């Protein structure tokens, strides 16, 4: 099985809530993923053939030698050209990309837009080619196969593609401006003194500015000029004069560039205009007008709510709301549903919420349940800390009265929990049972309404979990003890979850083999190897039926798993050469997971 670009990730590629299960890997899932697998040129789902070489055993009796991969099964038959990617009508905004599929027979030859492309013994092909130009936006595939009795069969297939349309903005003639490029646009709710980025795409030899309702003009500068200065100061090779903002020559057919600037939110009104001028031509364009949050306006509060379905919707432990530093950014905070926050802004499909007086975050609009106008701010305060040990873990209990916004950060010998908008005034911190795992609790106010709690450990922990205890009105940090390990059979007695990634979703290979199909036998083989070594294995799926992405880590937490192993065959996005970029990767999210990764 050639593996030009595949990867097997023995790690979790799931929702961030996976971090809430003990000892699990938990990287952030990317927001989008090209559904193209370039690794599966063979029948990867076929059972492995037994090796003819004796296989040595390990000390625990399990085999240790690798099992040979099966040969790619030959295919001989009629020509049947099928392109798996790009699909007909796919938008391609790169210069070169991969095209793959099958011609139905391994003894055929193939040319794509005149370029010879190798065909594997099973009829599959994978090519890295220039993307056809907008003037001829199509791939022409010509497959030829010799007949056994003489002569040849041939098949021609056409795959149409689309190229991004960029409105040409000539340097001469009547002034043309890309009206669809004007920003700001969409829903905006901002404070009066916030700066708003204003931009427009226009010819390089034009001039652009914002005219405010009071008649004041704010100039917009060419983004390329800013980039040129930045490059010069940074001692990087500066762009040529053609890209550094110099006026385009009269012969330039498309002289488009981006003009940018910043304006106070409260200065933009319905009368404000973006103006572009060249010679005697002038174009005036409207832009989005922010809804201004006045300084004397009532505060707006909302409760965080989870949109999780399935198993994850059944308890707070398995539901979180993801907070991000910027709209649609990387997940940073994993907050309890039911946490009250102040809503301070809106940008498109995301809302800004205040965590405390000095920090704000962004959440999806669907994760907010607005409260009635005039609803008061919730008051959180902690007056005492408790440490309650049990056989498998130690609970650090922090009564706060209401669900707090927080950030949990693990380290080798401690956990640091930052509580936002939650002052501490504990008079005593009882250490019930004098447990050796949690040695000391210390807290310090790092701002008027922000507190950091440091949980110092007496030894390594094996994962952690944050929960809200409604009966005690308390935040709970559960620190798990390292399980007892038999040096001779180190996996014996451990519960390990093996996750065959997908469906739903997943990548697809040239022959139509899906990632979900291919990783299932890999996961089953992994489960068998682990069970041979004494582990109790829980599989998130054993059939081709789809299992919800959010249900998989919930299964692991409910099984009290010691590790979560998710197997994937990753795909590249358009524009990445699979013959140069290939290999395997192992992903983890938290520092304590690195040794296992």
């Amino acid at each position: 099985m050639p593996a030009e670009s595949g990867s097997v990730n023995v790690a979790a590629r799931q929702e961030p809530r996976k971090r809430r299960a003990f000892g699990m890997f938990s990287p952030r899932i990317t927001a989008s993923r090209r559904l193209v697998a370039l690794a599966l040129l063979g029948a990867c789902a076929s059972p492995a053939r037994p090796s003819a070489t004796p296989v040595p055993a390990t000390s625990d009796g399990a085999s240790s030698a690798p099992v040979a991969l099966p040969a790619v099964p030959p295919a001989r038959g009629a020509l049947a050209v099928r392109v798996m990617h790009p699909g007909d009508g796919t938008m391609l905004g790169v210069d070169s990309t991969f095209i793959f599929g099958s011609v139905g027979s391994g003894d055929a030859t193939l040319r794509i837009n005149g370029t010879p492309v190798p065909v594997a013994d099973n009829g599959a092909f994978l090519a890295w080619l220039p993307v056809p130009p907008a003037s001829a936006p199509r791939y022409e595939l010509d497959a030829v196969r010799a007949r056994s009795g003489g002569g040849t069969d041939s098949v021609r297939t056409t795959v149409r593609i689309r190229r991004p349309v960029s409105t040409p903005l000539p340097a001469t003639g009547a002034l043309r401006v890309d009206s669809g490029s004007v920003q700001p646009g969409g829903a905006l709710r901002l404070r009066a003194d916030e700066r708003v980025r204003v931009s427009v795409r226009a010819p390089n030899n034009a001039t652009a500015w914002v005219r405010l309702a009071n008649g004041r003009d704010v100039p917009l500068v060419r983004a390329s000029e800013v980039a040129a200065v930045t490059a010069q100061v940074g001692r990087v090779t500066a762009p040529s004069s053609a890209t550094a903002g110099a006026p385009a020559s009269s012969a330039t057919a498309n002289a488009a560039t981006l003009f940018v600037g910043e304006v106070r939110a409260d200065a933009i009104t319905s009368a404000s205009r973006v103006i572009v001028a060249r010679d005697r031509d002038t174009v005036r364009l409207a832009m989005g007008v922010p809804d201004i949050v006045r300084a004397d306006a009532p505060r707006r509060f909302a409760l965080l709510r989870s949109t999780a379905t399935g198993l994850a919707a059944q308890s707070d432990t398995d539901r979180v709301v993801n907070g991000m530093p910027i709209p649609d950014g990387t997940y940073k905070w994993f907050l309890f549903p039911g946490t009250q926050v102040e809503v301070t802004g809106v940008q498109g499909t995301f809302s800004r919420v205040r965590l405390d007086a000095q920090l704000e975050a962004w959440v999806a609009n669907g994760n907010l349940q607005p409260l009635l106008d005039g609803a008061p701010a919730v008051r959180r305060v902690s007056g005492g800390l408790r440490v309650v040990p049990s056989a498998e873990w130690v609970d650090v209990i922090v009564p706060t009265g209401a669900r707090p916004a927080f950030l949990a950060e693990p380290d080798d010998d401690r956990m640091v929990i930052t509580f936002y908008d939650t002052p501490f005034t504990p008079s005593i911190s009882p250490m019930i049972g004098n447990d050796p795992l949690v040695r000391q609790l210390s807290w310090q106010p790092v701002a008027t309404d922000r507190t950091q709690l440091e949980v110092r450990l007496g030894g390594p922990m094996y994962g952690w979990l944050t929960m809200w205890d409604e009966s005690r009105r308390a935040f709970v940090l559960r620190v798990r003890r390292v399980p007892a390990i038999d040096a001779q059979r180190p996996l014996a007695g451990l519960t390990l979850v093996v996750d065959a990634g997908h469906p739903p979703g997943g990548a697809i290979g040239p022959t139509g083999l899906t990632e979900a199909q291919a990783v299932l036998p890999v996961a089953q083989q992994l489960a068998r190897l682990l069970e041979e070594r004494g582990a109790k294995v829980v599989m998130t799926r054993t059939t081709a039926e789809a299992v919800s992405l959010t249900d998989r880590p919930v299964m692991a937490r409910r099984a009290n798993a010691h590790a979560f192993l998710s197997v994937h065959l990753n795909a590249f996005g358009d524009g990445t050469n699979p013959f140069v970029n290939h290999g395997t990767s192992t992903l983890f999210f938290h520092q304590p997971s690195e040794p296992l990764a």
Side-chain angles (χ1 to χ4, degrees):
M1 181 183 68
E4 279 80 1
S5 67
S7 63
V8 179
N9 300 334
V10 186
R13 274 183 79 271
Q14 305 293 337
E15 292 283 359
R17 59 180 51 85
K18 187 171 299 175
R19 66 189 276 283
R20 301 165 67 78
F22 291 125
M24 296 180 185
F25 300 150
S26 47
R28 184 182 74 89
I29 189 171
T30 54
S32 63
R33 182 169 178 266
R34 177 72 63 186
L35 303 184
V36 189
L38 307 179
L40 308 178
L41 296 188
C44 301
S46 303
R49 297 173 183 171
S51 172
T53 304
V55 178
T58 61
S59 59
D60 61 6
S63 60
S64 61
V67 178
L69 290 173
V72 175
R76 300 292 182 267
L79 291 177
V81 179
R82 182 172 61 160
V83 178
M84 301 307 300
H85 182 81
D88 204 53
T90 297
M91 176 71 74
L92 294 176
V94 293
D95 294 330
S96 297
T97 195
F98 41 75
I99 175 171
F100 62 85
S102 174
V103 298
S105 186
D107 57 356
T109 60
L110 174 67
R111 286 180 176 269
I112 301 179
N113 288 352
T115 301
V117 172
V119 176
D121 205 28
N122 65 343
F125 66 88
L126 168 65
W128 171 258
L129 297 173
V131 174
S135 58
R138 58 188 174 273
Y139 289 100
E140 298 283 1
L141 293 88
D142 294 291
V144 178
R145 179 174 181 263
R147 297 175 185 162
S148 58
T152 59
D153 292 325
S154 63
V155 173
R156 165 167 281 202
T157 300
T158 299
V159 176
R160 296 180 299 274
I161 63 164
R162 294 181 298 133
R163 300 289 275 161
V165 177
S166 178
T167 304
L169 305 177
T172 59
L175 175 61
R176 298 184 63 184
V177 177
D178 185 358
S179 59
S181 69
V182 176
Q183 294 293 330
L188 285 174
R189 187 170 189 271
L190 304 170
R191 289 183 289 267
D193 61 348
E194 288 191 74
R195 311 299 293 187
V196 177
R197 181 184 176 93
V198 179
S199 63
V200 63
R201 184 170 165 268
N204 199 28
N205 61 351
T207 304
W209 65 92
V210 177
R211 176 156 294 169
L212 304 177
N214 60 8
R216 185 169 70 91
D217 290 340
V218 178
L220 302 180
V221 302
R222 297 176 185 88
S224 56
E225 291 179 342
V226 177
V229 173
T230 302
Q232 199 170 27
V233 172
R235 297 184 180 178
V236 179
T237 302
S240 66
S241 59
T243 60
S249 69
S250 59
T252 304
N254 184 9
T257 192
L258 190 68
F259 290 83
V260 296
E262 284 191 346
V263 180
R264 274 179 58 114
D266 62 351
I268 302 175
T269 68
S270 59
S272 301
R273 291 292 183 269
V274 173
I275 301 178
V276 181
R278 184 178 65 197
D279 300 329
R280 297 183 179 181
D281 286 347
T282 302
V283 174
R284 291 174 172 83
L285 301 167
M287 55 183 159
V289 179
D291 177 16
I292 302 300
V293 181
R294 301 296 176 184
D296 58 351
R299 300 171 71 186
R300 298 175 58 184
F301 293 100
L303 294 180
L304 297 180
R305 67 179 182 183
S306 171
T307 56
T309 59
L311 296 177
Q314 297 177 15
S315 71
D316 282 352
T317 301
D318 299 317
R319 292 185 298 160
V320 295
V321 173
N322 301 315
M324 297 153 280
I326 62 174
D328 200 21
T330 302
Y331 299 161
K332 179 64 177 178
W333 296 273
F334 306 93
L335 306 172
F336 298 140
T339 302
Q340 181 178 316
V341 292
E342 181 182 359
V343 182
T344 63
V346 176
Q347 184 171 321
T349 59
F350 291 87
S351 292
R352 186 175 57 200
V353 299
R354 188 182 301 282
L355 302 183
D356 63 18
Q358 300 181 27
L359 186 64
E360 294 172 310
W362 293 85
V363 300
N365 292 343
N367 288 134
L368 290 175
Q369 176 61 56
L371 297 178
L372 296 174
D373 291 343
V378 68
R379 293 183 61 84
R380 309 180 187 96
V381 63
S382 179
L385 310 172
R386 296 174 65 86
V387 177
V388 181
S390 61
E392 293 189 63
W393 54 71
V394 179
D395 284 346
V396 177
I397 300 172
V398 186
T400 56
R403 290 173 172 84
F406 67 94
L407 175 65
E409 299 174 286
D411 206 342
D412 287 334
D413 58 354
R414 63 177 186 152
M415 284 285 300
V416 177
I417 314 295
T418 301
F419 291 89
Y420 303 105
D421 195 23
T422 308
F424 275 36
T425 60
S427 56
I428 188 170
S429 301
M431 309 285 281
I432 298 175
N434 193 27
D435 193 273
L437 180 54
V438 176
R439 284 185 49 248
Q440 187 181 38
L441 303 178
S442 64
W443 62 275
Q444 59 177 337
V446 293
T448 303
D449 57 350
R450 184 186 303 177
T451 306
Q452 279 191 344
L453 172 65
E454 182 176 321
V455 181
R456 296 176 186 169
L457 305 175
M461 64 175 173
Y462 197 79
W464 52 275
L465 181 68
T466 54
M467 301 177 289
W468 174 253
D469 186 337
E470 183 64 28
S471 63
R472 300 183 184 183
R473 306 293 294 171
F475 171 95
V476 178
L477 170 67
R478 178 163 290 177
V479 183
R480 193 179 196 182
R481 304 183 194 279
V482 175
I485 301 295
D486 181 342
Q488 299 302 312
R489 288 173 57 82
L491 296 183
L494 298 184
T495 299
L496 306 177
V497 171
V498 175
D499 174 48
H502 309 286
I508 191 168
T511 62
L513 181 66
T514 66
E515 179 180 3
Q517 290 173 303
V519 298
L520 182 56
V522 175
Q524 290 169 329
Q525 178 86 327
L526 173 60
R528 182 185 65 78
L529 294 172
L530 295 173
E531 287 173 339
E532 285 179 358
R533 289 158 173 78
K536 174 187 175 183
V537 175
V538 176
M539 296 194 66
T540 59
R541 71 176 179 96
T542 56
T543 69
E545 294 298 317
V547 177
S548 167
L549 194 69
T550 55
D551 282 354
R552 298 169 187 246
V554 177
M555 295 177 190
R557 189 198 62 76
R558 294 185 178 182
N560 209 23
H562 293 90
F564 184 103
L565 308 169
S566 190
V567 183
H568 290 258
L569 291 167
N570 278 353
F572 289 126
D574 286 316
T576 302
N577 188 342
F579 297 103
V580 177
N581 303 277
H582 50 77
T584 61
S585 59
T586 301
L587 310 178
F588 66 98
F589 190 72
H590 290 296
Q591 180 186 349
S593 295
E594 183 180 7
L596 181 58

